Amino acid sequence: MIREFPLTLSRFIIENQASHQGAAEGFSSLVTQVSLVGKLIAQDLRRAGLLDILGSTGDTNVQGETVKKLDAIANDAFVKVFQHSGYVCALASEEMEKPILLPGNWPQGKYILLFDPLDGSSNTDNNMPLGAIFSVLMHDRSDRLPTDEELMRRGTQQVAAGYLLYGSSTMLVYTVGQGVYGFTLDPGIGEYLLSHERITIPDKGKIYSANEGNYNKWSGGTKRYLDFLKINDKATGRPYSSRYSGCLVADVHRLLLGGGIYLYPGETDKPEGKLRLLYEANPLAFVVEQAGGRASTGTSRIMEVEPKKLHQRVPLMIGSRRDVEQAEAFIQGRV
Ligand code: AFP
């Protein structure tokens, strides 16, 4: 529903969130700063082919992946925007081995920001969708800065989470535990305007997103579930259509609006799969659950997984509640 005069992000936060129970001082500017990172990266992406920002830096990151120039640019943007923000006392990134503690922002800085600065890096050089994912925790100790252990918390302890989607338009979608809201950047006025109010994911969809090139590495239950989705049976809305963009944020955004399921299962040689619990799975699980969906490892709720390592990976099935429940039933051998 588009209002008379679309609501700007900053107005929305003041009207709706600055007062909610989980919000400490500075919550509004934290979200505003995430949106600023979005503007900075979107501006570069719009002219990517004209700037020397495509290709790799030649470095390898803590995940063992080749670092794209845009990965480094996006990571720097987050660090620069939050370093002097005053409200975040620690930063942890998928691109950085160790967290950055910000004593200059402490003790007034009550937030910890965990983020995937650029999601879908394999898409950077071919103008395909990209994203960024963020998760916010509270650090309400006034005696010291957070330890690494205090950054490794269950998804249920997040006070806010969301993503930036760099698609045909740039969007910020997030939750603070009171529903999910989407804002579209109007480059003409440089403002994020409310475009998607209280997003609710359909209970069941018609689309699945998975890298089927890994099919032979999956468990029997996962294979049977994918086979099940492809059976021709109109009554149950099958076969599902396959859509996979290489960018988790873009695939989850599509599901949030139209329903369905995204899977990145465990593999015989990598039972924990590929996706990162703290930077990808937990924040997107919070958003999808707040929209009425579900996020699972196949055997347990993502947001109840106890993190053991900062860069821990986890199998992920996320999307419409009934689709994820069905996937769990196959993976657990109940059907
Ligand atoms: P990168 O950001 O390293 O490209 O990974 C993207 C991602 O985390 C997620 O966005 C994709 O859905 C998935 O990994 C793609 O992985 P595959 O290339 O193995 O399918």
Side-chain angles (χ1 to χ4, degrees), residues 199-268:
I199 300 173
T200 306
I201 187 170
D203 219 24
K204 189 175 179 308
K206 293 186 173 66
I207 283 178
Y208 70 90
S209 302
N211 180 345
E212 291 193 73
N214 299 329
Y215 180 89
N216 291 321
K217 300 178 190 169
W218 294 342
S219 71
T222 310
K223 288 180 188 166
R224 282 189 305 106
Y225 175 63
L226 259 285
D227 299 345
F228 167 83
L229 292 181
K230 297 177 188 175
I231 291 166
N232 201 354
D233 176 28
K234 278 220 162 353
T236 54
R238 290 175 296 153
Y240 276 31
S241 293
S242 168
R243 296 281 184 279
Y244 190 68
S245 71
C247 173
L248 172 63
V249 165
D251 290 330
V252 166
H253 187 70
R254 179 197 304 111
L255 296 175
L256 213 52
L257 302 180
I261 184 169
Y262 169 105
L263 307 98
Y264 208 108
E267 296 165 8
T268 30

Side-chain angles (χ1 to χ4, degrees), residues 65 71 94 116 118-123 211 214 244 246-249 251 262 264 274-276 280:
E65 295 158 346
D71 285 324
E94 184 189 290
D116 174 358
L118 197 74
D119 174 52
S121 316
S122 57
N123 286 351
N211 180 345
N214 299 329
Y244 190 68
C247 173
L248 172 63
V249 165
D251 290 330
Y262 169 105
Y264 208 108
K274 174 187 180 179
L275 302 178
R276 281 51 65 147
E280 295 174 305

